[in-house]
Amino acid sequence: MSAASVAPPFSSILFDLDGTIVDSAPGITSSLAHTYEALGMPVPTPAELLRWVGPPILDSFRDLAGLNEAESARALEVYRKHYVSTGVFDAVVYPGVREILAAIHDAGIPLSLATSKPELPARLILDHFELSQYFTEFTGASEDESRSAKKDVVLEALRRLRVAGADLSNPIMVGDRHHDVEGAHERGIPTFFVTWGYGSPAEQAGAVGVAETPRELAALLGLEASAAA
């Protein structure tokens, strides 16, 4: 699909969660700090911990903390226990994003979550903020993290949408990290990049559109301008 052909109306839409729908960094970074402390490791700075938000967490335990497979499994166990019990709701919905999700739903466009966060905490967040009603499907990492790479999450989201009878002739991904852009591209899906999340400007490479505000994203998606603040 060429950039020139990427235009509404979109037949289905995939949305990342962390950094795209919600600012979940406070809960994630506090749980990471707890994990480092529990493992007897020096706690990185808050800025360094922000690098963890978005990518698959097992990859980050390996790439950012330098842990081996067994150590990463133990760290994941510590992290999840703290995050689900303490950090999962330490988040806020980005202003204007709720209105976009509602406009997508009202337009009858199938919408799937596509996050590298496991599905249980992802659903807890969407339920807590009363956003679940806008989604056709909820796709995230599997509990054992065997499906956590964004390309695999996107593939599963597309499969579920297809089973639900969605039209996949002109889909679009919305995300804030290069993992979203690259993972969707591997499945033949273009991406709109949002700048209010955790990605750097360099991570926009490969995106077919960039939105600095929810209003700009609404325009890219072909929604009514009033859909977002």
Side-chain angles (χ1 to χ4, degrees), residues 89 120-133 138:
F89 299 131
L120 173 59
R123 283 297 301 268
L124 288 174
I125 290 171
L126 293 179
D127 288 348
H128 177 74
F129 290 109
E130 299 183 344
L131 299 175
S132 297
Q133 60 188 312
F138 304 87

Side-chain angles (χ1 to χ4, degrees), residues 1 12 14 116 126 175 188 197-198 210:
M1 182 179 293
S12 54
L14 281 62
S116 289
L126 293 179
Y198 311 119
V210 176

Side-chain angles (χ1 to χ4, degrees), residues 97-214:
V97 172
R98 179 187 303 274
E99 289 77 9
I100 288 179
L101 300 179
I104 292 170
H105 179 268
D106 291 346
I109 303 171
L111 173 64
S112 178
L113 191 68
T115 175
S116 289
K117 183 188 293 296
E119 290 180 6
L120 173 59
R123 283 297 301 268
L124 288 174
I125 290 171
L126 293 179
D127 288 348
H128 177 74
F129 290 109
E130 299 183 344
L131 299 175
S132 297
Q133 60 188 312
Y134 303 126
F135 287 83
T136 308
E137 296 294 334
F138 304 87
T139 308
S142 56
E143 188 66 22
D144 63 0
E145 297 283 338
S146 60
R147 182 184 69 240
S148 61
K150 187 53 67 94
K151 65 178 182 179
D152 296 331
V153 171
V154 168
L155 183 63
E156 177 63 12
L158 294 173
R159 185 194 69 79
R160 294 182 185 183
L161 285 171
R162 185 178 298 110
V163 170
D167 179 358
L168 300 179
S169 62
N170 188 28
I172 190 75
M173 173 79 195
V174 179
D176 72 306
R177 298 297 308 271
H178 68 90
H179 306 83
D180 301 309
V181 179
E182 294 165 2
H185 177 74
E186 289 199 47
R187 301 306 181 189
I189 310 298
T191 298
F192 288 147
F193 190 97
V194 300
T195 64
W196 56 78
Y198 311 119
S200 66
E203 295 185 54
Q204 299 173 17
V208 296
V210 176
E212 296 187 358
T213 66

Side-chain angles (χ1 to χ4, degrees), residues 1-7 190 207-209:
M1 182 179 293
S2 67
S5 68
V6 177
V208 296

